[in-house]
């Protein structure tokens, strides 16, 4: 955890009220922790905070997420450094360069919440739908193969059919490999809790289901396009079903997994595997013949 607390004013969120404002850990202490994890065999570092992209803005040495990634990239052992909880308007060139250049893996969790201007304004997100789209477009263009995870909030007070349609169309473009769809629920003491124009429960449920169905189509298309390909995976462990691994585009315990035949590798091994098929978020693969 690279920082605690958040300074953003998102109208639906109560986290700043109980976690307080942003307090970043120093780069030195994070580097020491990474060294300790590396000594214990860690092959992947997952960077989390309420807002990872705000990292360092409260520190005297003008540290940033990009400079932190540079330092962590010098720690031998972990090959993947994964960034979760990025704030879209704070995803800057420096971060994109780090992802494109390998200091961070080709993955970004960036909750967008919505793309309708009026909903974003009411949410006090401080950005337009256009900025969200441009940021997503830039990431996809600059980092070929990047896996984007996002979460969206449906049924925010005042979310009209047209607002939802904008979001539905954007999700349907298939930019996100992983998607969380949450239903608005008022948090006591937040500005959004006092907003009028609540969206009826059955409408909210319908919108959530519609987006989940759309995303299923995206996942199905991705699975079909991966079958037959040779990819690199990191082994997590073994159970009665076989050896479990993940691609660079899957965060541990959040995203998809790759199932290999029993005994394919030990935890921490990077393997080249050939994808034979898929079901939902799970790919089925076999170790690739050497040279593949
Ligand atoms: S939603 Fe995230 S960025 Fe916004 S206030 Fe809450 S923790 Fe901060």
């Amino acid at each position: 955890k690279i920082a605690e607390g958040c300074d953003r004013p998102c109208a639906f969120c109560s986290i700043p009220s109980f976690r307080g404002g942003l307090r970043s850990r120093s780069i030195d202490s994070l580097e020491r922790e990474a060294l300790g994890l590396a000594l214990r065999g860690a092959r992947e570092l997952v960077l989390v905070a309420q807002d990872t992209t705000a990292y360092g803005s409260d520190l005297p040495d003008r540290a940033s997420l990009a400079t932190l990634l540079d330092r962590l990239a010098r720690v031998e052992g972990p090959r993947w450094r994964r960034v979760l909880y990025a704030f879209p308007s704070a995803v800057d060139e420096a971060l994109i360069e780090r992802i494109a250049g390998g200091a961070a893996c080709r993955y970004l969790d960036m909750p967008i919440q919505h793309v309708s201007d009026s909903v974003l304004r009411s949410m006090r997100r401080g950005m337009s739908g256009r900025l969200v789209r441009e940021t997503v477009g830039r990431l996809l263009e600059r980092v070929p193969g990047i896996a984007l995870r996002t979460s969206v909030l449906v049924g925010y007070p005042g979310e009209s059919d047209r607002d939802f349609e904008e979001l539905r169309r954007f999700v349907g473009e298939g930019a996100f490999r992983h998607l969380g769809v949450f239903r608005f629920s008022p948090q006591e003491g937040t500005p959004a809790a006092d907003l009028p124009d609540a969206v009826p429960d059955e409408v909210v449920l319908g919108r959530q289901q519609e987006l989940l169905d759309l995303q299923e189509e995206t996942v199905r298309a991705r699975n079909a396009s991966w079958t037959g390909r040779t990819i690199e995976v990191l082994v997590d462990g073994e159970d009665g079903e076989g050896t479990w691994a993940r691609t660079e585009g899957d965060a541990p315990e959040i995203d998809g997994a790759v199932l290999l035949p029993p005994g394919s590798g030990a935890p921490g091994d990077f393997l080249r595997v050939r994808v034979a098929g898929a079901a939902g978020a799970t790919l089925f693969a076999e170790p690739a013949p050497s040279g593949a």
Side-chain angles (χ1 to χ4, degrees), residues 6 8 10 12-13 15-16 50 87 125:
C6 182
R8 308 258 181 216
C10 306
F12 54 84
C13 179
I15 287 176
Q50 270 80 47
F87 197 75
R125 294 279 286 172

Side-chain angles (χ1 to χ4, degrees), residues 6 45 85 99 105 158 175 191 194 196 214 229 268 288:
C6 182
L45 301 173
Y85 309 121
I99 301 173
C105 61
D194 298 326
L214 255 185
R229 275 172 57 186

Side-chain angles (χ1 to χ4, degrees), residues 78-93:
R79 266 183 47 195
W80 289 348
R81 286 158 294 276
R82 186 182 302 281
V83 177
L84 304 190
Y85 309 121
F87 197 75
S89 58
V91 172
D92 56 11
E93 272 307 300

